[in-house]
Amino acid sequence: LGLSGAVLQGYLRNPLADPGILGVSGGAALGAVSVFYTGLMQVSIAVLPLGGLTGALCAVAVLMGLVGRGGTLVLLLAGAALSSFAAALTALVLNLVPSPYASFEIMHWLMGSLTDRTFTHVWICLPGVVCGTLLMLSAGRALDALTLGEDVAESLGFRLHGLRGIQTRIVLGAALAVGSCVAVSGAIGFVGLVVPHLLRPLTGYQPSRLLVPSFLGGSLLLLLADMVVRLVTVGPELQLGVLTALVGAPVFFARVIMLKRAVP
């Protein structure tokens, strides 16, 4: 999540970019919710994450088909459209679920958690995470060149067709990694948005230098948040995605205020 946020912010040159902008998280959530709705989760512990992963891969295919040879604007519009459509279909499934208990289970999963996750879930998500991570890390040098715009990137040796290939690597890598994670843990927000902002002052403003620290920083933030929800809460356990949002939103607000003060 942290690595995907850093890569997308660097590529789109947009500090508000995060993994959710691609719509793949919504696709994974829709796949998992569909498993709840059909009752297939009673078959095996692996069916739910596999359903989420299937939804993520379908979202990847649709996103790549929509973007084609388009640039960053097309990517943003396609991701927004896909995210909205997946959210609408998820709401439709929630509306049609006949059992209140099933609705509760769906909402509980959508809030994100690592509770009761096993190594079965790890092996399910590992191939997508590894492939996606390698694809994103391979785009580091290109992200540095794109910081000053496509014209400068081309002058440094990245031809226009090469830049389109870089976009494909970034989109496919982020989609595979994030979709695989969401498929096993549910939706966990703000990690990809906040972590790069916290680490950028420490690593400098060269995008490639931020990638590995964001990868590790996202892991650390998620582990600390999971420790908090397991050890500190009293009564019903606070969901992990809720805590990351509660922590991430104020940090992001503070960042916005700092940027506002820096503008003359």
Side-chain angles (χ1 to χ4, degrees), residues 177-262:
V178 173
S180 299
C181 292
V182 172
V184 300
S185 66
I188 298 176
F190 277 93
V191 175
L193 184 63
V194 171
V195 168
H197 283 282
L198 293 176
L199 296 177
R200 194 170 282 115
L202 303 177
T203 62
Y205 291 84
Q206 187 176 344
S208 63
R209 297 179 60 185
L210 182 62
L211 301 187
V212 174
S214 292
F215 181 88
L216 299 175
S219 303
L220 179 61
L221 175 62
L222 201 61
L223 285 172
L224 291 175
D226 190 52
M227 290 172 62
V228 169
V229 298
R230 290 173 187 269
L231 300 176
V232 176
T233 55
V234 177
E237 183 178 296
L238 183 66
Q239 292 296 97
L240 184 58
V242 176
L243 181 62
T244 58
L246 289 173
V247 173
V251 171
F252 193 65
F253 286 147
R255 180 64 177 168
V256 170
I257 293 172
M258 290 173 60
L259 291 174
K260 181 180 178 181
R261 290 176 177 174

Side-chain angles (χ1 to χ4, degrees), residues 80-101:
L82 183 60
S83 181
S84 298
F85 186 59
L89 290 179
T90 301
L92 176 63
V93 173
L94 277 168
N95 186 74
L96 296 177
V97 170
S99 169
Y101 177 76

Side-chain angles (χ1 to χ4, degrees), residues 36 94 101-117 185-187 236-242:
F36 276 110
L94 277 168
Y101 177 76
S103 298
F104 173 78
E105 287 292 317
I106 291 173
M107 293 303 299
H108 198 259
W109 185 89
L110 287 175
M111 287 187 284
S113 177
L114 298 180
T115 303
D116 298 327
R117 302 307 188 266
S185 66
E237 183 178 296
L238 183 66
Q239 292 296 97
L240 184 58
V242 176

Side-chain angles (χ1 to χ4, degrees), residues 31-206:
V33 167
S34 299
V35 171
F36 276 110
Y37 179 73
T38 57
L40 291 174
M41 63 174 296
Q42 305 300 327
V43 177
S44 169
I45 189 176
V47 173
L48 180 60
L50 286 175
L53 188 56
T54 301
L57 293 175
C58 291
V60 171
V62 173
L63 182 66
M64 297 303 294
L66 289 173
V67 174
R69 292 182 173 274
T72 56
L73 179 59
V74 176
L75 175 62
L76 286 169
L77 292 174
L82 183 60
S83 181
S84 298
F85 186 59
L89 290 179
T90 301
L92 176 63
V93 173
L94 277 168
N95 186 74
L96 296 177
V97 170
S99 169
Y101 177 76
S103 298
F104 173 78
E105 287 292 317
I106 291 173
M107 293 303 299
H108 198 259
W109 185 89
L110 287 175
M111 287 187 284
S113 177
L114 298 180
T115 303
D116 298 327
R117 302 307 188 266
T118 67
F119 267 97
T120 299
H121 298 91
V122 174
W123 291 119
I124 289 173
C125 74
L126 189 62
V129 171
V130 171
C131 292
T133 297
L134 293 176
L135 284 170
M136 287 186 285
L137 290 176
S138 70
R141 183 167 171 264
L143 293 177
D144 292 341
L146 284 169
T147 302
L148 299 176
E150 291 190 2
D151 292 337
V152 176
E154 287 193 54
S155 70
L156 294 175
F158 295 92
R159 301 304 174 194
L160 189 60
H161 68 276
L163 295 178
R164 297 292 176 259
I166 291 164
Q167 175 177 277
T168 301
R169 271 188 283 162
I170 290 173
V171 172
L172 186 59
L176 282 174
V178 173
S180 299
C181 292
V182 172
V184 300
S185 66
I188 298 176
F190 277 93
V191 175
L193 184 63
V194 171
V195 168
H197 283 282
L198 293 176
L199 296 177
R200 194 170 282 115
L202 303 177
T203 62
Y205 291 84
Q206 187 176 344

